[in-house]
Amino acid sequence: MRHLIGSNLLMTVGCGVIIEYNEQILLQHRKDHDVWGIPGGVMEPGELFEETAIRETNEETGLTVRKLKLFGIYSGDEGYSRYENGDLVYSVQIIFFTTEFSGEIIQSTDESHEHRFFSRNELPPLNQH
């Protein structure tokens, strides 16, 4: 798509999951923006929102999430972003919540430095996109 539109604005749909365990939230320290955020990523054509959330969470954390509940749908001015390479995007975010997951956390991936559970009152500054 980018070879057709260059760095012009592209609209995307992102899906993420808030994973809670023992009253703590799992966050990933991202490599691309050097910020903390919830696991998630961009929807592929033909996917359901839940499928995107499950796939992206597994790719980024190694965990398989289940019993997703809709947490919120986010749009508005905060959805605009410019990537390091100059590409412009506008992202609508579909966020889910779960306490049901299995697997072992992968600490370092192509996209993450680490994953860590934080209590709600000790959350680090979060990525807003």
Side-chain angles (χ1 to χ4, degrees):
M1 178 67 79
R2 282 292 177 192
H3 73 279
L4 296 174
I5 66 167
S7 291
N8 290 321
L9 185 65
L10 177 67
M11 186 169 176
T12 63
V13 176
C15 297
V17 181
I18 299 169
I19 301 170
E20 184 178 35
Y21 178 71
N22 286 337
E23 298 184 15
Q24 294 186 324
I25 304 296
L26 180 66
L27 297 179
Q28 68 179 144
H29 187 195
R30 296 194 54 87
K31 288 182 179 178
D32 53 1
H33 299 289
D34 194 30
V35 294
W36 289 92
I38 63 171
V42 177
M43 177 180 268
E44 294 180 0
E47 276 188 318
L48 298 172
F49 297 129
E50 293 91 345
E51 290 172 337
T52 302
I54 291 166
R55 175 184 54 78
E56 285 286 344
T57 300
N58 183 260
E59 288 175 5
E60 294 180 359
T61 68
L63 299 176
T64 300
V65 291
R66 297 179 303 280
K67 297 185 181 178
L68 301 180
K69 297 175 187 168
L70 182 62
F71 183 82
I73 300 172
Y74 302 91
S75 60
D77 288 339
E78 297 82 23
Y80 290 99
S81 185
R82 181 181 297 272
Y83 294 150
E84 287 79 16
N85 65 3
D87 290 350
L88 292 172
V89 295
Y90 177 77
S91 183
V92 174
Q93 297 291 313
I94 313 297
I95 307 300
F96 294 94
F97 173 85
T98 190
T99 59
E100 301 285 329
F101 62 92
S102 61
E104 296 293 321
I105 295 176
I106 300 169
Q107 281 303 325
S108 180
T109 68
D110 290 343
E111 299 180 22
S112 303
H113 291 293
E114 69 174 305
H115 296 90
R116 188 183 323 160
F117 282 94
F118 290 89
S119 65
R120 291 176 188 229
N121 59 355
E122 295 178 343
L123 293 174
L126 300 175
N127 179 23
Q128 300 300 312
H129 299 290

